[in-house]
Amino acid sequence: MSNINFIQKSDLFSYTATRCLRNEYFHNDCHICIDLCPKGAFHIVRNKLTLFENECVGCAGCIGSCPTEAFEIESFDPNGFAASYQHQNESTISCKTSTPCLGIFDVEHYTVMALRGEKSVVCDLSHCEGCVLNENGKLGESIREKIDATNRFLEMIQTPQRIETIDVKVEENDRRALFRKGFEKVKESITEESVAHISMTAAHHKRPDVKMPLKRILLKNSLKEIIPGLETTEFTQSSPLFFNKQIDFQSCTNCGDCTQFCPTDALFTTSDKQGIVFAQGKCIGCGICEDICKPNAISKKEGFSLVSVAFERAEQLVHYEMVTCHECRCPFPYKGGDPICDRCSSYIKEFSNMFTLAKDM
């Protein structure tokens, strides 16, 4: 079966295989959704992520954890909800009243809601412990980790907003009945006329050659609004949201594999094809570039710039002068010394004995 425009559906839930990192790069080992799914609906078949439709209950708990937005649910759009949160009458986000499982949101969504809203964002997590979807505790733990990461980022950039939680435990007699009731609520929300359910994500994905997740675009737009009021926009520590890269000049061969396989075009070549440029705002931290680099020239770098992230400023990591190798007459990135490419230099060293004349032996 072809993976081109391959979409699997289970009732309201859909999975687009062409947006999955495991399909983007054969050796990628992303398994977040597999670990989170309470029903074990995701499986690896021939090293490709596959949804077993008959096992999926459409709970939406995995949606927020996918870095490339490969999952969607027809009745609720987390990007639409986050973008319109400041206009909501109710500030409390709850799976019992306003949304599906809070696992539908990612750190980007929580950050957008916090930055755009004038009121505190309150997440009702009191139902997580008794929820049938959280029997192994993984889904609830994931939600709390994302909220904690959001608050760490908000504290780092010194904004007053925070994500608050309601953790009071409640008694639930029939957990499975409550889950069925909650799932029916999600189905019914299809007919509701609410800005929270306008499918911004679906419209975004219909645009040609779209590689950037919409949640990342919403976050960058939100940062543009607050940057003028921040005391500092340059940070030396790592962030749960933004990533930085560096390339070792001596190790890099300018082969271009990292730019070819980057799923969001965070790494791209210069116009003369002799250098590599990195855009922090586009990087989702998938690690494909580091894994695919044969000489291990790419590595993580501490620090990030909010201005570079928000306004998509890119940094040139390396640039080479291309010269012609004196042996094979092919162009190669020159790094000093004799104008001989690495391939020829290695060949001469390994097989020098083949060129030794009998009179010299």
Side-chain angles (χ1 to χ4, degrees), residues 287-330:
I288 290 177
C289 59
E290 297 172 44
D291 183 70
I292 202 172
C293 183
K294 295 180 180 65
N296 297 318
I298 303 178
S299 60
K300 296 182 179 67
K301 180 182 177 181
E302 295 295 314
F304 64 97
S305 166
L306 284 182
V307 173
S308 297
V309 167
F311 295 95
E312 293 196 359
R313 294 183 181 177
E315 174 189 6
Q316 183 173 280
L317 300 185
V318 289
H319 193 272
Y320 300 97
E321 175 190 359
M322 302 297 287
V323 301
T324 301
C325 175
H326 284 192
E327 294 291 335
C328 65
R329 301 300 177 184
C330 294

Side-chain angles (χ1 to χ4, degrees), residues 21 56 82 99 108 128 149 165 174 189 192 198 219 221 223 239 251 254 282 304 327 358:
L21 287 174
C56 176
T99 71
E108 284 94 340
C128 292
T165 59
D174 189 349
S189 67
E192 296 179 3
I198 296 175
L219 176 58
N221 290 338
L223 289 172
S239 161
S251 301
N254 199 30
K282 293 182 177 181
F304 64 97
E327 294 291 335

